[in-house]
Amino acid sequence: MADRAWQALLKLAAEPAYEATAGERSYGFRPGRCTADAQKLIFQNLNNQANGKDKLILETDISKCFDEIDHQAMLGKVVLPYEALKGLKLAF
């Protein structure tokens, strides 16, 4: 129960800063966004004639990429109050 409370507290602290700096077309794990939104954007882009009629879809498997993520580098980019960041670093 304490872990869930800590996660909720970190989410409440981090989400406003992240939402203010997140990319317009970022859909992963964001409130109010889902895979259907990403699919709709892809569909619109494929139907758009502005960039020519020939379009490509590239499918890749990126699952192994997550094994190589440098967690310390990621933590260095997190914007949180000091005490919250300190608690987040303890989780890793």
Side-chain angles (χ1 to χ4, degrees):
M1 189 106 128
D3 285 342
R4 287 188 183 243
W6 181 247
Q7 289 171 359
L9 182 63
L10 283 175
K11 180 183 179 289
L12 289 172
E15 196 169 87
Y18 175 75
E19 284 298 315
T21 59
E24 178 184 334
R25 292 190 175 172
S26 172
Y27 294 95
F29 303 105
R30 291 187 61 195
R33 302 225 176 166
C34 64
T35 55
D37 296 328
Q39 290 171 340
K40 181 180 176 183
L41 180 66
I42 291 168
F43 180 79
Q44 290 171 344
N45 284 333
L46 289 174
N47 281 331
N48 186 350
Q49 295 297 321
N51 295 325
K53 63 181 177 113
D54 296 328
K55 307 271 169 91
L56 294 174
I57 296 177
L58 177 63
E59 181 180 350
T60 62
D61 181 8
I62 62 169
S63 59
K64 299 271 189 230
C65 295
F66 297 103
D67 296 338
E68 303 297 322
I69 290 177
D70 183 359
H71 290 102
Q72 296 307 317
M74 285 181 63
L75 285 170
K77 296 180 184 223
V78 174
V79 177
L80 279 175
Y82 175 75
E83 289 299 320
L85 187 59
K86 187 171 138 184
L88 182 63
K89 287 181 180 180
L90 289 176
F92 290 98

